[in-house]
Amino acid sequence: MKIGTREIGKGNPAYIIAEMSANHVGDIVRAKEIIHAAKEAGADCVKIQTYTPDTLTIDCDNSYFHISDGTWNGENLYQLYQKAYTPWEWQGELFEEAKKAGIDFFSTPFDNTSVDFLEEIGIEFYKIASFELVDIPLIEYVASKGKPMIMSTGMATLAEIDEAVAAVRNQGNDNFALLQCASAYPAITDEMNLKTMQNMGETFGVPFGLSDHSMGSVGAVTAVALGASIIEKHFCIDRSIENPDSSFSMNPAEFKQMVADIRQAEKAIGCVKYGPSEQEKKNLQFRRSVFCVKDIKKGEKLTEDNIRIIRPEYGLQPKYFKEVLGQTAITDIKRGTPLAFEMIGRE
């Protein structure tokens, strides 16, 4: 997958997304602050969401539209989205702010009108949210724009993911990635099943990653160790600024530490390499070798009493020990001398 000039996939650093979502709390100044804080924390990209309450649901108060448990227990869907949405009139300005900050910027559209709007402001790639993975008409419309796409797969069966992937590819778009996701807020690491992420990549032949709603960075770092090319985390200035997403968002210090841990994990993964590393080379001297452990006179035979395999490594390699036993010293050898072939011979 390619986003702009950035290659996403095996052999490249993980692409790290800071999800703003509702953490702006209705304040464009804070939204801009989040963009710059995300850049400072090491994010590659800031993501927003493009919807209004009316593009997601209807203003209805019957039981179908009420949340009865979890983080948003007691909320009415329409009222929740009213609190959480990012005003469309901000979004072009936020896009420009991201350009100034030197960080990528994209959005999750939730209906065709939001796609049309994002096309107008020049958004260069798209996200499909887990809950919209079953909205095949929306996926087809987004894919028809021919731009890179990232699709989250929370709750989805393999068959549902297959349908979504087919919808993208049927539009001639093969520039996309899939994210494993636990659609719980916050999610628990016990139920991440990160091996599914790897299997998705193998099954569909695309880059894969993790949209992580858990607290902490264990899931994200582990995902990268398992081959994730994309990590997405909710990002806020301060969790004490309450909003629908604050309770499961990372603050700048936490996000920065996560990025550092991911980058260190990538270095630790490294490549296939045998033999001593640069750091290890200076310690080769502490390997074992064959040393004379008693004074040996010229003409005296080598025995297990006067030579031993000990540290350090200046003498013959241990594999020659049995070969030299019984051979004769051709010169006097002092105790503590590393044994060399030039010192011995056969009668």
Side-chain angles (χ1 to χ4, degrees), residues 15 50 74 107 131 133 158 209 211 213 226 231 245 248 332 335 340:
Y15 189 73
T50 304
S107 183
F131 291 86
L133 194 76
L158 183 59
S211 176
H213 301 129
L226 291 173
I231 296 294
D245 296 303
F248 54 90
D332 289 344
R335 179 179 184 270

Side-chain angles (χ1 to χ4, degrees), residues 57 60-68 75-77:
T57 189
C60 183
D61 203 38
N62 69 32
S63 60
Y64 296 117
F65 296 87
H66 278 266
I67 302 170
S68 57
E75 291 275 9
N76 166 274
L77 285 180

